[in-house]
Amino acid sequence: MKYLLGSVLVYLLLNSSISYAEQFTVTAVQLNKQIQQRFPIVRQYDDVEATFYNPKVIVRYLDNEIEIKLQVKVTYQGQSLEANGLIKDTATFQPVSNTLRFDRPQLDEFFITQDNMSDSTEAVKVVKQSISRSLPPIILLDFEQLDLNLLSNEPIAITLSPLGLELEY
């Protein structure tokens, strides 16, 4: 009986040393609040200026993708047009800056909603071929701003869910 009790105690001690991870959810609302701080983004190439504004983070958990839906105002030779756009990239965690970001974001979709230009062909061509490929890195989430009160702000895993981002520590 003594040996059985000792064996059970050793078994429980060995199995109780398993560490339990903490999990936190960052909702789409929280992501959008943080990304609003990083916009507008203004880019210029030749005489064409594109202003990217009103971003909205879209979490597509079934496709394991994060996208940014936004509006774009393009100005060329004193005339302008408005468009809806979609920015895509692979979100990566940056341990030095403690952020989740798009390192090489690209304008994947560009749909003109209002065209006040006499000829928008050149402006649209510049936006699609040059400006869309020269966007700066975009911070999606600054972990310092989350204030989770953990020893490490670097998550073990980041997964997408219907609620947003699931962070495991």
Side-chain angles (χ1 to χ4, degrees):
M1 183 69 167
K2 212 183 215 184
Y3 295 112
L4 180 61
L5 187 59
S7 297
V8 169
L9 185 59
V10 168
Y11 174 80
L12 289 174
L13 285 173
L14 288 174
N15 287 326
S16 68
S17 66
I18 298 171
S19 63
Y20 294 96
E22 291 188 65
Q23 194 164 353
F24 297 94
T25 301
V26 179
T27 65
V29 171
Q30 291 172 300
L31 285 169
N32 282 310
K33 187 176 179 182
Q34 281 206 20
I35 203 164
Q36 289 289 334
Q37 300 170 18
R38 311 215 187 319
F39 282 80
I41 294 174
V42 179
R43 283 295 196 236
Q44 191 163 345
Y45 188 85
D46 290 336
D47 293 334
V48 178
E49 180 179 277
T51 303
F52 300 85
Y53 66 99
N54 198 20
K56 182 179 179 191
V57 175
I58 307 294
V59 177
R60 299 196 188 283
Y61 68 95
L62 293 176
D63 297 326
N64 202 30
E65 292 179 347
I66 299 174
E67 304 168 340
I68 302 171
K69 184 178 173 182
L70 45 67
Q71 292 175 287
V72 184
K73 180 178 181 178
V74 179
T75 307
Y76 178 62
Q77 296 178 342
Q79 298 176 337
S80 65
L81 67 80
E82 296 280 335
N84 291 330
L86 188 69
I87 292 178
K88 289 186 174 183
D89 191 12
T90 302
T92 56
F93 179 75
Q94 300 295 320
V96 173
S97 61
N98 205 20
T99 58
L100 181 70
R101 70 182 198 181
F102 283 170
D103 288 321
R104 286 183 235 114
Q106 294 205 2
L107 187 62
D108 189 61
E109 295 177 8
F110 184 81
F111 300 106
I112 298 172
T113 57
Q114 182 179 0
D115 189 348
N116 298 325
M117 294 183 178
S118 55
D119 182 9
S120 59
T121 308
E122 183 63 25
V124 170
K125 179 179 168 185
V126 168
V127 169
K128 287 183 174 181
Q129 291 181 356
S130 300
I131 293 177
S132 70
R133 291 185 178 96
S134 67
L135 293 170
I138 299 173
I139 296 173
L140 300 167
L141 183 63
D142 184 342
F143 287 84
E144 299 292 329
Q145 290 183 6
L146 292 180
D147 196 27
L148 297 175
N149 295 321
L150 298 170
L151 293 176
S152 170
N153 281 331
E154 185 172 346
I156 298 168
I158 301 171
T159 55
L160 303 181
S161 78
L163 300 175
L165 293 178
E166 299 290 334
L167 309 175
E168 187 176 322
Y169 291 90

